[in-house]
Amino acid sequence: MSETASFVDPVFLARFGLSRVNVVDYFLHPLNPFRTQNNTSNEVLNMQGISIGMLMQAGMGNHIPLSAMSAEDAYSKKLSALTGDQYELLLPADPNDSDHYTQPSPLYTIRHVIRTNQSSVKILGVYYVVEGVIYKSPNIRSLMKSNVARTLDGLAGACSALSVCARYLPSTGYTWNFDENDDDDDDDDDDDKEKDTNDNNVDSDTIDPVVSLMKLNKRMKRRKILDNRKAGERNEAEEEGLRASAAIDQILVRLSKNSHVTTASAVDDDDSDDDDDATSTKNIVRGGTIAVAEPSTNI
């Protein structure tokens, strides 16, 4: 039988309702697939006219009605005197509260046992009656399988979400970037746009090297290096890589502050032939490379 199987009898529920008085009779419904096909001690007591409802009305033969708590206790004693397959109604959450025995409850727990004597029983299964629907309690194997599958699914989702945040640069190593607006993607898009503009029109929208170096320096400072080990804990190759990264960063900062690295518009070949008396420095942009021309003197 499937672990998700259930049973409900709407006719019984509409006619008699459901309470601790008749929940065992509801479980012993002939169409209930969870009940055993063997004769049970509960059916033997029913044929003798002994049930929780009858004990509440007639008592123990003295025709004195019993309370719901006393009738259920008397029924359990009668049931424990017999042997064989039995269905026991477990006590409520607070056995000393009489309201739990008289008021309807959304949950009832029934245990299927085989009794060999009054003190020896073997549990075969546990069933829940939730709002009139009967379910079988899952075993430990099913619970472990479900918990492991749920845990693995959560770990897989976490790894997938974190994998897109990992970044690697030769100068900084592996870093994490949790910013929703990825700087690398934005920079790549800006570079593509500027490259297309330069191809179409060399005279305008040239790349500013100072701004580019400042952006690179700012982005490198903002990222956090994952290697937080002390100097003595790294090997020689790792130390050399960190020193090289620091040297590259210093070179980039110096270039960004160099006054000779300036921006200028591209100079056409025809204009360069006409300007023979020019004495100032000219920055010529060709193919995305900035060439710094030295000051020239006419002879």
Side-chain angles (χ1 to χ4, degrees):
M1 184 181 297
S2 175
E3 296 180 355
T4 59
S6 61
F7 171 78
V8 60
D9 184 8
V11 177
F12 184 97
L13 297 176
R15 184 175 180 181
F16 304 104
L18 193 64
S19 64
R20 297 186 65 87
V21 176
N22 60 356
V23 66
V24 176
D25 297 332
Y26 177 68
F27 187 86
L28 294 175
H29 194 284
L31 299 179
N32 183 11
F34 298 112
R35 61 156 296 172
T36 180
Q37 301 299 325
N38 302 328
N39 291 330
T40 63
S41 301
N42 305 84
E43 294 172 323
V44 173
L45 293 178
N46 287 340
M47 289 186 292
Q48 297 177 3
I50 300 175
S51 64
I52 298 177
M54 293 299 296
L55 292 175
M56 291 178 61
Q57 295 178 4
M60 297 293 295
N62 52 6
H63 301 286
I64 299 177
L66 300 176
S67 64
M69 183 184 302
S70 300
E72 189 171 325
D73 183 63
Y75 182 81
S76 298
K77 291 180 180 179
K78 291 286 185 180
L79 194 63
S80 61
L82 302 177
T83 58
D85 290 274
Q86 298 178 0
Y87 289 103
E88 298 177 345
L89 178 62
L90 300 186
L91 297 176
D94 188 3
N96 298 324
D97 190 356
S98 59
D99 293 338
H100 288 87
Y101 294 89
T102 57
Q103 299 295 332
S105 174
L107 174 64
Y108 301 99
T109 305
I110 296 178
R111 186 174 65 176
H112 180 202
V113 300
I114 292 182
R115 184 182 297 275
T116 55
N117 53 56
Q118 291 187 357
S119 59
S120 177
V121 294
K122 180 180 179 181
I123 302 175
L124 299 181
V126 178
Y127 303 90
Y128 300 113
V129 184
V130 183
E131 297 291 348
V133 183
I134 301 175
Y135 300 95
K136 183 178 180 180
S137 175
N139 51 32
I140 298 179
R141 178 179 178 274
S142 300
L143 291 176
M144 292 296 297
K145 181 179 178 181
S146 176
N147 292 336
V148 170
R150 190 182 301 109
T151 303
L152 291 178
D153 183 68
L155 291 176
C159 292
S160 300
L162 291 176
S163 62
V164 298
C165 301
R167 298 290 185 271
Y168 175 79
L169 287 176
S171 59
T172 60
Y174 284 98
T175 59
W176 294 101
N177 184 9
F178 298 102
D179 191 4
E180 295 181 356
N181 299 324
D182 194 349
D183 295 334
D184 294 339
D185 294 339
D186 294 340
D187 293 341
D188 294 340
D189 296 340
D190 295 338
D191 293 343
D192 293 338
K193 293 179 180 179
E194 291 177 356
K195 184 177 180 180
D196 295 337
T197 305
N198 291 332
D199 293 338
N200 296 332
N201 187 4
V202 182
D203 295 337
S204 61
D205 297 337
T206 58
I207 301 176
D208 189 349
V210 178
V211 176
S212 299
L213 292 176
M214 292 179 64
K215 287 183 178 180
L216 177 61
N217 186 31
K218 183 179 180 181
R219 185 168 64 250
M220 292 171 62
K221 289 182 178 180
R222 186 169 59 250
R223 288 177 174 168
K224 180 180 179 181
I225 300 177
L226 293 181
D227 191 358
N228 295 323
R229 294 176 296 175
K230 298 180 180 180
E233 299 178 355
R234 292 187 288 264
N235 55 33
E236 183 178 356
E238 293 174 341
E239 292 288 350
E240 182 65 25
L242 292 178
R243 288 194 293 268
S245 300
I248 292 175
D249 294 342
Q250 293 178 1
I251 292 173
L252 293 177
V253 173
R254 290 177 182 177
L255 287 176
S256 64
K257 298 179 180 180
N258 195 339
S259 60
H260 291 285
V261 182
T262 57
T263 59
S265 60
V267 180
D268 297 335
D269 294 339
D270 295 337
D271 296 338
S272 61
D273 295 336
D274 297 337
D275 297 337
D276 295 335
D277 297 334
T279 60
S280 61
T281 302
K282 298 179 181 180
N283 297 334
I284 305 173
V285 180
R286 291 189 181 92
T289 304
I290 300 175
V292 180
E294 296 295 336
S296 59
T297 305
N298 294 331
I299 299 175

